[in-house]
Amino acid sequence: MSPIRPRFKHSLLRVAVLALVLAQALGTTVQAAPADQQQVARKDILILPSNVQVPAPDIWNPYIPGTFILQGMNQNLMEPLFMLNYETGNIDGWLASGYTSNADQSVWTVTLRPGTEWSDGTPLTSDDVVFTINMLKTHAPLLNFSIPIKNEVASVDALDDRTIQFTLNGPDPFFLVSNLAGTTSQAIVPVPKHVWQNVDPVTFKNPWNNGTGAIFSGPYVVKSFSTTEFDYKRNDNWWGAKSGAFPLPAPLEIHRPWIGDSATAQQAMVNNDSDDGGGISGMTPSTQAAMIAQNPKIVPYNADLGWVDPCPRMLTLNTMIAPWDNKDMRHALSYAMNRRQIVDVVYEGAGGDSAVSNFIFPTYKALQPYRDAAADILAPLAEYNPDKAHQLIESHGYTMGGDGHYVGPDGTTLSLDVIGPPFMEPWGRMVVQQLQAVGVDANLRLIEWGIFRDQTGRGNFTGAVDWDGCGSVVEPWFGMNRYNKTYVNPIGTPGTENVDNTNNAGRWSNDDYSALMDQMGKLPLGDPRVMDLYLQAVRIWADEEPDIPLVQTPSLLMFNTTYWTNWPTADNNYVQPPDWWEHFLQVLIRLKPAQ
């Protein structure tokens, strides 16, 4: 199978989620009692700390927009049909063994592996996949992935117990990888028809019920959970091992505790109370070196820059709110960004100039031809030039006030409220500092993950530090299409997202750009027409600058080999290394006990 290109989807935070967030704010926690008190030796437990506290831990429905899935639901319980492997560029089969398409790629046929089962032992068949797709079509736009499925899928049919046929409304070269492969966080995962067929999926929490619920197909099941820790136990009857498709994972349990500060997370790893440093915020080269010096069993992903996350950091402005609806004002803020200073402070200089970002693409090899072709167009988007920032702001009638902040013709101070989730604080702090330096009265508000996603999804924000263009890893269209006007909704209306972040959160609408995206989306990878359409679109994007690129995201990932070995490192790169995505299933079946 050849590499294909990706595409992402949508969002809205339901009342149930917000109610639980409110309960958390009032000091209420939702906690399940452990189903199994049996003690497991430390050497058999995989400990993966998280830097996100989950306010609604009892929701195990990945299709309710706003549900947090990176606490293990995504990596331990759910299984996609396919996964896009960044290291090889190939689509790896998981629940499915293969796929075909017709000549114009308007009909896709997927074959399930033999022996697939749910965690309760019920066979997982084509009927479950068909049920899931039809559920999304029926309940659009209220479920994640439902809008594109409703728009694209004319019908889905079970040709037999192992074979599913998707008939689309038109040709789509990206259908499979966009929807059925885990491109970053999540793909469409089947849900068990026998559990879901008589419930409302918009409100169904998929409750755990002391071990009798939260049924998925993955190699682990829920053992216990709270707002601060999620524990999973291995399903020794997992279909993957029974059928011979995959080895049974070695860890008997996986513990995912929330650790609220970086220093505590670092010490936990040094003390062998943590096996993976992916959940440690604010890692720097000096911190990494100090930890390795204290515990030589800690190994880095590599000794230099680390792993480049596919989600460069951005400053997103709501283009429906004045004065940020004016491209000059957006360019002014871009000129105010000293990106190299952000690299030097946040990353201690790791990556140098290569860590400075001037577009939405990560520095991945497959994207380099596109970055090179548009180098002259994109270069101004990384320029630090306070004088130009001042000139653009003042050209719109602003004058500098005595307090060092610009004041508009109506006497209003030029201000910007910037929101971000807690782990974005290092970048947000630098953005606000640099905006203040050019006369913008900026402030940073850190808010809980679910609330952040709800506010950006609904357009209830002015500025945000985020990763809004995240998506392209092997071709340009996926991330660029996130700025298609198709995703623009009125402020206050839920946006569309692919679970991790909102498509076109800044609500930028450009007819010409969107038309180019629609044309690109119909062309297969490698089509010579892609480059010309891409360059036309980049010129529009650079002229409008709907999002302000900041920096690449080098992640200084580390692994503790005291208890577990065969981690995915730069020298052993069988799959991308983060422990917060569905691809981590591929790591789980490869980890080896060290003791």
Side-chain angles (χ1 to χ4, degrees):
M1 290 180 275
S2 60
I4 322 183
R5 312 189 290 184
R7 180 160 49 180
F8 281 7
K9 318 304 170 194
H10 46 280
S11 168
L12 105 98
L13 196 58
R14 300 298 297 168
V15 173
V17 177
L18 290 174
L20 284 165
V21 171
L22 178 60
Q24 172 67 12
L26 295 174
T28 304
T29 60
V30 181
Q31 183 167 352
D36 185 354
Q37 299 291 347
Q38 180 182 357
Q39 294 298 310
V40 175
R42 171 65 179 95
K43 68 181 181 63
D44 296 317
I45 299 173
L46 180 64
I47 302 179
L48 308 170
S50 168
N51 59 8
V52 177
Q53 188 175 13
V54 182
D58 63 338
I59 297 179
W60 299 94
N61 178 350
Y63 292 112
I64 295 178
T67 298
F68 189 76
I69 64 170
L70 307 185
Q71 81 287 39
M73 189 192 326
N74 196 39
Q75 311 95 307
N76 307 337
L77 307 184
M78 304 193 305
E79 295 181 303
L81 295 167
F82 302 95
M83 298 182 196
L84 175 65
N85 189 318
Y86 294 7
E87 302 302 319
T88 64
N90 294 330
I91 295 179
D92 299 332
W94 195 262
L95 283 174
S97 59
Y99 64 89
T100 60
S101 68
N102 64 349
D104 71 354
Q105 297 179 305
S106 63
V107 177
W108 292 80
T109 303
V110 171
T111 304
L112 293 177
R113 291 186 187 272
T116 50
E117 287 182 350
W118 300 106
S119 59
D120 64 357
T122 304
L124 189 165
T125 70
S126 300
D127 283 342
D128 294 298
V129 179
V130 170
F131 169 81
T132 303
I133 298 299
N134 285 329
M135 176 186 78
L136 297 176
K137 284 170 60 72
T138 301
H139 292 87
L142 300 179
L143 299 176
N144 287 326
F145 290 98
S146 61
I147 291 177
I149 289 300
K150 181 177 180 179
N151 291 341
E152 294 184 48
V153 179
S155 63
V156 57
D157 300 288
L159 303 186
D160 56 42
D161 279 354
R162 301 283 100 196
T163 312
I164 308 102
Q165 186 175 86
F166 298 85
T167 302
L168 309 184
N169 288 317
D172 184 357
F174 314 116
F175 173 75
L176 186 133
V177 74
S178 299
N179 298 289
L180 307 183
T183 44
T184 55
S185 268
Q186 181 197 358
I188 291 172
V189 294
V191 295
K193 178 180 178 180
H194 66 283
V195 174
W196 289 64
Q197 62 186 338
N198 295 318
V199 303
D200 178 1
V202 177
T203 58
F204 181 51
K205 292 184 179 181
N206 193 22
W208 176 62
N209 290 337
N210 201 33
T212 62
I215 295 171
F216 292 101
S217 60
Y220 289 83
V221 295
V222 180
K223 178 182 179 182
S224 64
F225 62 88
S226 69
T227 59
T228 57
E229 180 157 356
F230 291 79
D231 293 345
Y232 303 87
K233 60 182 179 180
R234 189 178 68 188
N235 177 9
D236 291 343
N237 209 33
W238 177 48
W239 74 268
K242 283 202 309 180
S243 69
F246 307 109
L248 187 68
L252 298 181
E253 291 190 359
I254 299 176
H255 294 184
R256 293 181 175 270
W258 170 64
I259 299 181
D261 67 277
S262 296
T264 303
Q266 293 162 17
Q267 197 58 47
M269 197 166 191
V270 168
N271 293 343
N272 296 326
D273 294 325
S274 167
D275 297 310
D276 185 347
I280 301 178
S281 299
M283 281 300 304
T284 64
S286 61
T287 302
Q288 183 182 75
M291 292 174 64
I292 294 172
Q294 293 178 73
N295 186 343
K297 290 289 188 179
I298 296 175
V299 297
Y301 173 79
N302 68 24
D304 300 317
L305 180 60
W307 177 72
V308 178
D309 190 291
C311 302
R313 298 323 189 202
M314 318 278 292
L315 169 61
T316 296
L317 300 172
N318 192 327
T319 64
M320 286 188 170
I321 297 177
W324 316 116
D325 55 345
N326 186 316
K327 68 179 182 180
D328 287 348
M329 296 299 287
R330 298 195 295 271
H331 283 305
L333 297 199
S334 183
Y335 284 127
M337 295 292 101
N338 185 340
R339 293 163 177 84
R340 183 54 200 258
Q341 184 184 54
I342 297 175
V343 172
D344 291 342
V345 172
V346 177
Y347 306 144
E348 290 184 350
D353 289 339
S354 67
V356 168
S357 182
N358 61 8
F359 195 43
I360 64 174
F361 293 161
T363 51
Y364 280 18
K365 182 179 180 180
L367 295 171
Q368 197 58 44
Y370 300 98
R371 292 166 57 91
D372 291 342
D376 292 343
I377 302 170
L378 295 173
L381 301 190
E383 182 181 352
Y384 171 56
N385 195 323
D387 289 340
K388 286 185 179 179
H390 290 305
Q391 291 168 11
L392 286 171
I393 293 172
E394 290 167 8
S395 71
H396 289 278
Y398 289 89
T399 57
M400 186 65 75
D403 63 351
H405 296 134
Y406 277 109
V407 177
D410 61 355
T412 302
T413 298
L414 180 61
S415 62
L416 182 64
D417 181 58
V418 179
I419 63 172
F423 63 83
M424 286 296 295
E425 181 178 6
W427 297 272
R429 192 187 318 115
M430 293 300 299
V431 165
V432 165
Q433 175 183 312
Q434 293 177 1
L435 291 178
Q436 287 280 355
V438 297
V440 180
D441 187 14
N443 70 90
L444 175 65
R445 284 192 301 118
L446 299 176
I447 55 180
E448 185 274 324
W449 171 275
I451 297 174
F452 172 78
R453 286 176 54 196
D454 185 52
Q455 290 188 6
T456 53
R458 294 176 182 270
N460 293 329
F461 76 103
T462 307
V465 280
D466 57 18
W467 49 101
D468 203 37
C470 177
S472 288
V473 292
V474 294
E475 56 74 50
W477 177 83
F478 186 102
M480 293 180 71
N481 191 57
R482 302 192 75 155
Y483 296 91
N484 197 312
K485 70 176 184 178
T486 303
Y487 298 119
V488 175
N489 292 318
I491 289 178
T493 305
T496 55
E497 68 177 50
N498 72 305
V499 179
D500 259 355
N501 60 308
T502 304
N503 288 322
N504 207 347
R507 285 163 159 73
W508 175 64
S509 182
N510 185 284
D511 292 343
D512 293 337
Y513 180 91
S514 298
L516 291 166
M517 289 300 102
D518 292 343
Q519 292 178 62
M520 282 178 65
K522 292 181 174 64
L523 299 177
L525 184 66
D527 191 298
R529 292 170 290 179
V530 169
M531 183 62 80
D532 179 61
L533 294 171
Y534 158 76
L535 290 173
Q536 292 181 57
V538 167
R539 288 187 183 94
I540 295 171
W541 201 98
D543 177 63
E544 290 278 334
E545 200 165 8
D547 245 336
I548 298 174
L550 297 174
V551 292
Q552 296 291 315
T553 314
S555 297
L556 298 178
L557 302 183
M558 296 178 295
F559 308 105
N560 193 328
T561 61
T562 301
Y563 297 107
W564 303 103
T565 63
N566 200 34
W567 293 96
T569 64
D571 296 328
N572 185 31
N573 59 334
Y574 53 83
V575 75
Q576 52 268 39
D579 69 21
W580 52 87
W581 288 338
E582 273 181 341
H583 311 89
F584 196 69
L585 288 166
Q586 295 207 35
V587 179
L588 288 176
I589 62 173
R590 290 176 170 88
L591 286 180
K592 298 177 181 179
Q595 300 182 14

